[in-house]
Amino acid sequence: MASAQVMNAPPIPDAVQPVKISPPLILYKPLHPTFGAEASADFSTITPELVDEIKRGLSKYGVLVFRRTGLDDARHVEMSKLFGDLDDIAPFVGGLGQKNRLSSDYLFDVGNVNPDGTVMQPGGMRDLLLRCNYHFHADSAFNPRRAGISLLLAHELPPPCLGGETEFADTRAAYQALDDARKDEIHDWVVCNSQLNCRRNANTDENGKLNPLLDTDEFDPMKHRFGKHRLVQEHEPSGRTNLYIAAHAHHVEGMSLEEGQKQLRGLLEHAGRPEFTFKVTWKDVGDLVVWDNTCTLHRSVPGNYAGKYKRDLRRTTVHDMSSQAWGLNGEGATWRSGLD
Ligand code: OGA
Ligand code: MN
Protein backbone atom coordinates (compact mmCIF):
# COMPACT_ATOMS: atom_id res chain seq x y z
CA MET A 1 0.00 0.00 0.00
CA ALA A 2 2.72 2.42 1.02
CA SER A 3 4.74 1.71 -2.15
CA ALA A 4 1.66 2.18 -4.42
CA GLN A 5 1.19 5.62 -2.88
CA VAL A 6 4.77 6.56 -3.70
CA MET A 7 4.42 5.38 -7.30
CA ASN A 8 1.29 7.53 -7.76
CA ALA A 9 2.81 10.59 -6.10
CA PRO A 10 2.32 13.78 -8.17
CA PRO A 11 5.46 15.29 -9.74
CA ILE A 12 7.26 17.87 -7.61
CA PRO A 13 6.06 21.34 -8.71
CA ASP A 14 8.66 23.58 -10.41
CA ALA A 15 8.84 25.93 -7.46
CA VAL A 16 10.41 23.27 -5.28
CA GLN A 17 12.74 21.70 -7.86
CA PRO A 18 16.24 21.66 -6.42
CA VAL A 19 18.09 24.83 -7.50
CA LYS A 20 21.63 24.57 -8.81
CA ILE A 21 23.84 26.78 -6.63
CA SER A 22 26.78 28.22 -8.57
CA PRO A 23 29.93 29.03 -6.63
CA PRO A 24 30.59 32.79 -6.24
CA LEU A 25 32.56 34.23 -9.19
CA ILE A 26 34.93 36.04 -6.84
CA LEU A 27 36.06 35.36 -3.28
CA TYR A 28 37.19 38.43 -1.31
CA LYS A 29 39.65 38.73 1.55
CA PRO A 30 39.75 42.28 2.98
CA LEU A 31 43.18 43.94 3.14
CA HIS A 32 42.41 46.99 5.30
CA PRO A 33 39.66 47.97 7.77
CA THR A 34 37.93 50.37 5.32
CA PHE A 35 38.85 49.28 1.77
CA GLY A 36 40.83 46.95 -0.50
CA ALA A 37 40.58 43.20 -0.92
CA GLU A 38 42.62 40.35 -2.25
CA ALA A 39 40.24 38.69 -4.70
CA SER A 40 40.36 35.33 -6.43
CA ALA A 41 38.70 34.67 -9.75
CA ASP A 42 39.11 32.45 -12.80
CA PHE A 43 40.35 34.50 -15.75
CA SER A 44 40.52 31.58 -18.17
CA THR A 45 37.18 32.66 -19.63
CA ILE A 46 36.33 36.32 -19.37
CA THR A 47 32.61 36.93 -19.30
CA PRO A 48 30.42 40.02 -18.81
CA GLU A 49 29.24 38.34 -15.58
CA LEU A 50 32.79 38.27 -14.23
CA VAL A 51 33.28 41.93 -15.18
CA ASP A 52 29.99 42.87 -13.47
CA GLU A 53 31.12 41.08 -10.33
CA ILE A 54 34.49 42.91 -10.39
CA LYS A 55 32.56 46.19 -10.66
CA ARG A 56 30.37 45.18 -7.70
CA GLY A 57 33.48 44.30 -5.70
CA LEU A 58 35.09 47.64 -6.61
CA SER A 59 32.07 49.62 -5.50
CA LYS A 60 32.57 48.20 -2.02
CA TYR A 61 36.34 47.76 -1.79
CA GLY A 62 37.72 50.39 -4.24
CA VAL A 63 40.85 48.23 -4.89
CA LEU A 64 41.01 44.54 -5.83
CA VAL A 65 44.22 42.50 -6.05
CA PHE A 66 44.11 39.39 -8.24
CA ARG A 67 47.15 37.11 -8.14
CA ARG A 68 48.61 35.21 -11.10
CA THR A 69 45.75 35.87 -13.51
CA GLY A 70 47.58 34.41 -16.52
CA LEU A 71 46.46 37.43 -18.60
CA ASP A 72 48.53 38.70 -21.52
CA ASP A 73 48.34 42.07 -23.31
CA ALA A 74 45.57 41.01 -25.69
CA ARG A 75 43.30 39.51 -23.03
CA HIS A 76 44.02 42.39 -20.66
CA VAL A 77 42.74 44.81 -23.30
CA GLU A 78 39.86 42.55 -24.33
CA MET A 79 38.64 42.26 -20.73
CA SER A 80 39.08 45.99 -20.08
CA LYS A 81 36.81 46.83 -23.02
CA LEU A 82 33.97 45.06 -21.20
CA PHE A 83 34.24 47.65 -18.38
CA GLY A 84 33.42 50.65 -20.60
CA ASP A 85 35.10 53.14 -22.96
CA LEU A 86 38.89 52.90 -22.85
CA ASP A 87 41.30 55.80 -22.67
CA ASP A 88 44.25 55.57 -25.08
CA ILE A 89 47.75 56.98 -25.39
CA ALA A 90 47.62 57.71 -29.12
CA PRO A 91 47.66 61.52 -28.71
CA PHE A 92 50.84 61.30 -26.60
CA VAL A 93 52.86 59.00 -28.84
CA GLY A 94 55.51 60.97 -30.66
CA GLY A 95 55.50 63.78 -28.06
CA LEU A 96 58.61 64.11 -25.85
CA GLY A 97 60.34 61.64 -28.14
CA GLN A 98 58.11 58.84 -26.87
CA LYS A 99 57.66 55.72 -28.94
CA ASN A 100 55.02 53.20 -28.04
CA ARG A 101 56.90 50.09 -26.94
CA LEU A 102 53.69 48.10 -26.54
CA SER A 103 51.35 46.40 -28.96
CA SER A 104 48.26 48.49 -28.28
CA ASP A 105 47.51 52.18 -27.76
CA TYR A 106 45.13 51.08 -25.00
CA LEU A 107 48.14 50.05 -22.89
CA PHE A 108 49.72 52.77 -20.73
CA ASP A 109 53.35 51.92 -20.09
CA VAL A 110 54.06 52.81 -16.44
CA GLY A 111 57.16 50.66 -16.07
CA ASN A 112 60.84 51.52 -16.34
CA VAL A 113 61.68 49.73 -19.59
CA ASN A 114 63.09 51.63 -22.57
CA PRO A 115 61.78 50.92 -26.09
CA ASP A 116 65.02 48.94 -26.75
CA GLY A 117 64.31 46.68 -23.74
CA THR A 118 66.95 48.12 -21.40
CA VAL A 119 66.23 49.41 -17.88
CA MET A 120 65.50 53.11 -17.76
CA GLN A 121 68.25 55.10 -16.05
CA PRO A 122 67.33 57.73 -13.46
CA GLY A 123 67.52 61.32 -14.66
CA GLY A 124 66.29 60.90 -18.24
CA MET A 125 63.16 62.79 -19.27
CA ARG A 126 60.82 59.79 -19.10
CA ASP A 127 62.11 58.98 -15.62
CA LEU A 128 61.56 62.59 -14.51
CA LEU A 129 57.98 62.50 -15.78
CA LEU A 130 57.22 59.12 -14.19
CA ARG A 131 58.24 60.55 -10.81
CA CYS A 132 54.77 62.09 -10.71
CA ASN A 133 53.56 58.54 -10.03
CA TYR A 134 55.36 58.60 -6.66
CA HIS A 135 52.66 60.99 -5.40
CA PHE A 136 49.08 60.10 -4.55
CA HIS A 137 46.93 60.66 -7.60
CA ALA A 138 43.82 59.59 -9.48
CA ASP A 139 44.43 58.73 -13.13
CA SER A 140 43.47 61.38 -15.70
CA ALA A 141 42.09 63.86 -13.12
CA PHE A 142 43.75 66.42 -15.43
CA ASN A 143 41.84 65.46 -18.58
CA PRO A 144 38.34 66.64 -19.50
CA ARG A 145 36.97 63.14 -18.90
CA ARG A 146 38.52 61.59 -15.84
CA ALA A 147 39.40 57.92 -15.39
CA GLY A 148 37.02 55.53 -13.69
CA ILE A 149 38.56 52.09 -13.34
CA SER A 150 42.25 51.30 -13.96
CA LEU A 151 43.61 47.78 -14.47
CA LEU A 152 47.36 47.34 -13.91
CA LEU A 153 49.03 44.08 -14.94
CA ALA A 154 52.54 42.87 -14.00
CA HIS A 155 54.74 41.62 -16.86
CA GLU A 156 58.15 41.62 -15.17
CA LEU A 157 59.04 42.44 -11.58
CA PRO A 158 62.20 43.35 -9.68
CA PRO A 159 63.46 40.94 -6.99
CA PRO A 160 61.59 41.23 -3.65
CA CYS A 161 62.34 43.88 -1.00
CA LEU A 162 63.70 46.52 -3.41
CA GLY A 163 60.58 48.75 -3.37
CA GLY A 164 58.13 49.23 -6.22
CA GLU A 165 54.95 48.46 -4.28
CA THR A 166 51.78 50.35 -5.18
CA GLU A 167 50.18 52.21 -2.29
CA PHE A 168 46.47 53.08 -2.13
CA ALA A 169 44.45 55.62 -0.14
CA ASP A 170 40.74 55.49 0.70
CA THR A 171 39.25 58.89 -0.18
CA ARG A 172 35.73 57.96 0.93
CA ALA A 173 37.04 57.21 4.43
CA ALA A 174 39.18 60.38 4.28
CA TYR A 175 36.06 62.45 3.51
CA GLN A 176 34.07 60.74 6.24
CA ALA A 177 36.76 61.55 8.81
CA LEU A 178 36.52 65.33 8.23
CA ASP A 179 34.48 67.23 10.80
CA ASP A 180 31.14 68.72 9.79
CA ALA A 181 32.40 72.32 9.63
CA ARG A 182 35.20 71.32 7.24
CA LYS A 183 32.77 69.28 5.13
CA ASP A 184 30.54 72.38 4.82
CA GLU A 185 33.48 74.62 3.98
CA ILE A 186 34.79 72.51 1.09
CA HIS A 187 31.42 71.32 -0.22
CA ASP A 188 31.28 73.49 -3.35
CA TRP A 189 34.97 73.82 -4.21
CA VAL A 190 35.99 73.22 -7.81
CA VAL A 191 39.55 71.97 -8.25
CA CYS A 192 41.66 72.74 -11.33
CA ASN A 193 43.93 69.77 -12.08
CA SER A 194 47.05 69.64 -14.22
CA GLN A 195 49.40 66.78 -14.94
CA LEU A 196 52.14 69.40 -15.27
CA ASN A 197 51.59 70.49 -11.67
CA CYS A 198 52.35 66.98 -10.48
CA ARG A 199 55.33 66.63 -12.82
CA ARG A 200 56.83 69.92 -11.68
CA ASN A 201 56.26 69.25 -7.97
CA ALA A 202 57.85 65.82 -8.36
CA ASN A 203 60.96 67.49 -9.74
CA THR A 204 61.31 70.36 -7.29
CA ASP A 205 63.92 69.98 -4.55
CA GLU A 206 63.51 70.74 -0.83
CA ASN A 207 64.68 74.35 -1.44
CA GLY A 208 61.91 74.87 -3.98
CA LYS A 209 64.25 74.68 -6.98
CA LEU A 210 62.64 73.21 -10.07
CA ASN A 211 64.72 70.93 -12.33
CA PRO A 212 65.64 73.25 -15.25
CA LEU A 213 64.52 70.58 -17.75
CA LEU A 214 60.93 71.25 -16.64
CA ASP A 215 61.32 75.02 -16.28
CA THR A 216 59.81 75.72 -19.69
CA ASP A 217 56.42 76.85 -21.00
CA GLU A 218 55.77 73.28 -22.11
CA PHE A 219 55.69 72.25 -18.44
CA ASP A 220 54.06 75.38 -17.01
CA PRO A 221 50.56 74.49 -15.73
CA MET A 222 49.41 78.11 -16.12
CA LYS A 223 50.10 77.96 -19.87
CA HIS A 224 47.78 74.98 -20.39
CA ARG A 225 44.24 73.91 -19.66
CA PHE A 226 43.04 72.42 -16.40
CA GLY A 227 40.74 69.48 -15.81
CA LYS A 228 38.08 70.96 -13.54
CA HIS A 229 36.29 68.64 -11.15
CA ARG A 230 34.28 69.11 -7.99
CA LEU A 231 36.23 68.24 -4.86
CA VAL A 232 33.28 66.68 -3.05
CA GLN A 233 31.23 64.26 -5.10
CA GLU A 234 28.88 61.37 -4.72
CA HIS A 235 30.60 58.10 -5.65
CA GLU A 236 27.65 56.84 -7.64
CA PRO A 237 28.27 53.07 -7.51
CA SER A 238 28.22 53.09 -3.68
CA GLY A 239 26.18 56.23 -2.92
CA ARG A 240 28.94 57.34 -0.51
CA THR A 241 30.67 60.73 -0.63
CA ASN A 242 34.18 60.97 -2.03
CA LEU A 243 36.95 63.53 -1.66
CA TYR A 244 38.31 63.89 -5.20
CA ILE A 245 41.79 65.22 -4.51
CA ALA A 246 45.03 64.27 -6.31
CA ALA A 247 48.62 65.41 -6.75
CA HIS A 248 47.41 67.02 -9.98
CA ALA A 249 45.30 69.50 -7.99
CA HIS A 250 46.78 72.92 -8.82
CA HIS A 251 44.34 75.51 -7.48
CA VAL A 252 40.78 76.03 -6.33
CA GLU A 253 38.56 78.04 -8.62
CA GLY A 254 37.75 81.49 -7.22
CA MET A 255 40.41 81.30 -4.47
CA SER A 256 43.85 82.95 -4.53
CA LEU A 257 46.52 80.69 -5.97
CA GLU A 258 48.46 80.65 -2.72
CA GLU A 259 45.49 79.93 -0.47
CA GLY A 260 44.12 77.28 -2.84
CA GLN A 261 47.45 75.48 -3.02
CA LYS A 262 47.78 75.53 0.76
CA GLN A 263 44.28 74.05 1.16
CA LEU A 264 44.85 71.39 -1.49
CA ARG A 265 48.17 70.36 0.05
CA GLY A 266 46.44 69.95 3.41
CA LEU A 267 43.63 67.83 1.94
CA LEU A 268 46.05 65.62 0.00
CA GLU A 269 48.13 65.10 3.14
CA HIS A 270 44.97 64.23 5.07
CA ALA A 271 43.91 61.63 2.46
CA GLY A 272 47.38 60.07 2.54
CA ARG A 273 47.45 59.57 6.32
CA PRO A 274 48.52 56.05 7.34
CA GLU A 275 45.08 55.04 8.63
CA PHE A 276 43.60 55.51 5.13
CA THR A 277 46.31 53.61 3.23
CA PHE A 278 47.77 50.20 2.49
CA LYS A 279 50.43 48.89 0.12
CA VAL A 280 50.20 46.15 -2.48
CA THR A 281 53.38 44.14 -2.94
CA TRP A 282 53.66 42.82 -6.48
CA LYS A 283 54.65 39.17 -6.26
CA ASP A 284 54.29 37.41 -9.60
CA VAL A 285 53.98 38.03 -13.29
CA GLY A 286 50.25 38.10 -14.06
CA ASP A 287 49.29 39.86 -10.82
CA LEU A 288 46.53 42.33 -11.65
CA VAL A 289 45.44 45.25 -9.48
CA VAL A 290 42.17 46.93 -10.35
CA TRP A 291 41.07 50.17 -8.72
CA ASP A 292 38.37 52.80 -8.91
CA ASN A 293 39.97 56.24 -9.35
CA THR A 294 36.77 57.93 -8.25
CA CYS A 295 37.02 56.66 -4.66
CA THR A 296 40.74 55.91 -4.15
CA LEU A 297 44.21 57.35 -4.78
CA HIS A 298 47.35 55.46 -5.66
CA ARG A 299 51.08 56.02 -5.99
CA SER A 300 54.09 53.91 -6.75
CA VAL A 301 56.65 53.45 -3.99
CA PRO A 302 60.22 54.35 -5.04
CA GLY A 303 62.91 51.77 -4.39
CA ASN A 304 66.42 50.51 -4.95
CA TYR A 305 65.32 48.52 -7.98
CA ALA A 306 65.46 51.77 -10.01
CA GLY A 307 68.13 51.80 -12.68
CA LYS A 308 68.95 48.12 -12.02
CA TYR A 309 65.91 45.90 -12.50
CA LYS A 310 62.92 45.98 -14.80
CA ARG A 311 59.54 46.79 -13.34
CA ASP A 312 57.25 46.27 -16.32
CA LEU A 313 53.66 47.18 -15.45
CA ARG A 314 51.03 47.99 -18.07
CA ARG A 315 47.74 49.72 -17.43
CA THR A 316 44.44 49.95 -19.21
CA THR A 317 42.25 52.86 -18.19
CA VAL A 318 38.48 52.92 -18.41
CA HIS A 319 36.94 56.36 -18.72
CA ASP A 320 34.64 57.26 -15.86
CA MET A 321 31.16 56.12 -16.86
CA SER A 322 29.37 58.11 -14.10
CA SER A 323 27.46 61.38 -14.48
CA GLN A 324 30.48 63.22 -12.96
CA ALA A 325 32.92 61.98 -15.60
CA TRP A 326 33.40 65.27 -17.42
CA GLY A 327 33.37 67.46 -14.32
CA LEU A 328 33.06 71.09 -15.40
CA ASN A 329 34.93 70.54 -18.65
CA GLY A 330 32.01 70.18 -21.03
CA GLU A 331 30.85 66.77 -22.17
CA GLY A 332 32.64 65.59 -25.31
CA ALA A 333 35.73 67.80 -24.98
CA THR A 334 38.69 66.16 -26.74
CA TRP A 335 41.73 68.18 -25.60
CA ARG A 336 44.34 66.40 -23.47
CA SER A 337 46.33 67.87 -20.63
CA GLY A 338 49.68 69.23 -21.79
CA LEU A 339 48.84 68.83 -25.48
CA ASP A 340 46.40 71.73 -25.65
C1 OGA B 1 49.34 53.82 -12.79
C2 OGA B 1 50.21 54.12 -11.64
C3 OGA B 1 51.57 53.07 -9.96
C4 OGA B 1 52.66 52.06 -9.95
O1 OGA B 1 49.50 52.77 -13.41
O2 OGA B 1 48.45 54.63 -13.06
O3 OGA B 1 50.16 55.19 -11.13
O4 OGA B 1 52.89 51.50 -8.86
N1 OGA B 1 50.96 53.10 -11.23
O5 OGA B 1 53.29 51.86 -10.98
MN1 MN C 1 48.35 56.30 -11.93
Side-chain angles (χ1 to χ4, degrees), residues 1 43 47 82 103 118 139 146 221 243 282-283 288 300 320:
M1 183 67 188
F43 288 90
T47 59
L82 297 178
S103 60
T118 54
D139 293 331
R146 63 181 186 166
L243 186 69
W282 295 90
K283 292 183 184 161
L288 172 75
S300 91
D320 183 11

Side-chain angles (χ1 to χ4, degrees), residues 19 21 28 32 36 44 47 116 122 130 138 148 189 199 212 235 248 264-265 267 289 315 320 323 335:
V19 232
I21 312 241
Y28 300 98
H32 178 277
S44 58
T47 59
D116 67 1
L130 267 178
W189 290 5
R199 289 178 163 177
H235 175 250
H248 308 116
L264 294 170
R265 257 196 315 276
L267 288 165
V289 183
R315 187 188 86 219
D320 183 11
S323 74
W335 57 268

Side-chain angles (χ1 to χ4, degrees), residues 28-330:
Y28 300 98
K29 207 173 96 207
L31 287 168
H32 178 277
T34 67
F35 78 131
E38 186 117 4
S40 55
D42 177 6
F43 288 90
S44 58
T45 42
I46 295 161
T47 59
E49 290 73 30
L50 175 63
V51 169
D52 280 349
E53 181 53 41
I54 295 177
K55 284 188 187 171
R56 252 193 305 280
L58 281 176
S59 126
K60 176 170 179 186
Y61 291 109
V63 182
L64 297 177
V65 181
F66 296 94
R67 298 292 179 188
R68 289 194 254 174
T69 57
L71 291 171
D72 58 11
D73 279 342
R75 294 176 64 244
H76 180 192
V77 171
E78 179 202 336
M79 177 171 78
S80 303
K81 284 181 178 165
L82 297 178
F83 280 83
D85 306 334
L86 293 190
D87 198 358
D88 70 285
I89 62 154
F92 297 96
V93 176
L96 299 169
Q98 291 188 42
K99 276 202 285 183
N100 189 5
R101 184 174 73 84
L102 307 176
S103 60
S104 161
D105 283 348
Y106 291 125
L107 292 169
F108 288 68
D109 185 2
V110 298
N112 64 350
V113 183
N114 291 317
D116 67 1
T118 54
V119 180
M120 199 190 291
Q121 293 306 304
M125 187 48 106
R126 217 175 99 76
D127 171 60
L128 298 183
L129 301 185
L130 267 178
R131 289 181 192 187
C132 175
N133 276 3
Y134 295 155
H135 301 269
F136 273 126
H137 65 277
D139 293 331
S140 300
F142 42 79
N143 275 334
R145 187 179 181 185
R146 63 181 186 166
I149 293 167
S150 290
L151 302 97
L152 186 60
L153 181 67
H155 288 257
E156 190 168 342
L157 294 168
C161 306
L162 293 179
E165 301 90 345
T166 304
E167 186 171 29
F168 290 90
D170 183 348
T171 43
R172 289 177 297 187
Y175 175 79
Q176 212 171 318
L178 296 173
D179 65 37
D180 287 348
R182 184 65 168 154
K183 283 179 180 159
D184 283 349
E185 186 184 12
I186 66 173
H187 187 265
D188 295 322
W189 290 5
V190 169
V191 178
C192 300
N193 297 280
S194 169
Q195 186 172 37
L196 305 171
N197 179 57
C198 184
R199 289 178 163 177
R200 276 199 162 181
N201 288 343
N203 288 287
T204 300
D205 70 18
E206 54 285 0
N207 303 316
K209 176 138 178 40
L210 173 64
N211 184 322
L213 288 173
L214 278 78
D215 199 0
T216 64
D217 283 359
E218 191 186 358
F219 290 101
D220 183 352
M222 297 301 273
K223 302 246 158 54
H224 298 269
R225 300 180 73 150
F226 292 97
K228 296 185 186 180
H229 293 275
R230 293 175 60 94
L231 173 66
V232 178
Q233 310 194 354
E234 182 189 338
H235 175 250
E236 292 172 4
S238 65
R240 294 176 58 196
T241 308
N242 183 54
L243 186 69
Y244 191 62
I245 179 79
H248 308 116
H250 180 266
H251 65 275
V252 179
E253 198 157 69
M255 199 179 281
S256 76
L257 187 63
E258 201 181 34
E259 176 62 16
Q261 294 193 333
K262 189 176 119 210
Q263 294 284 350
L264 294 170
R265 257 196 315 276
L267 288 165
L268 194 58
E269 249 172 60
H270 166 75
R273 274 178 16 200
E275 65 266 38
F276 304 130
T277 66
F278 74 92
K279 285 188 190 128
V280 173
T281 299
W282 295 90
K283 292 183 184 161
D284 292 292
V285 169
D287 286 357
L288 172 75
V289 183
V290 185
W291 65 84
D292 181 345
N293 290 287
T294 69
C295 66
T296 61
L297 295 174
H298 61 282
R299 68 178 198 104
S300 91
V301 178
N304 292 332
Y305 72 89
K308 301 189 194 88
Y309 297 99
K310 289 187 201 175
R311 179 178 185 268
D312 185 353
L313 298 180
R314 305 174 191 178
R315 187 188 86 219
T316 52
T317 315
V318 186
H319 286 301
D320 183 11
M321 305 297 283
S322 84
S323 74
Q324 314 270 317
W326 298 90
L328 288 87
N329 305 306

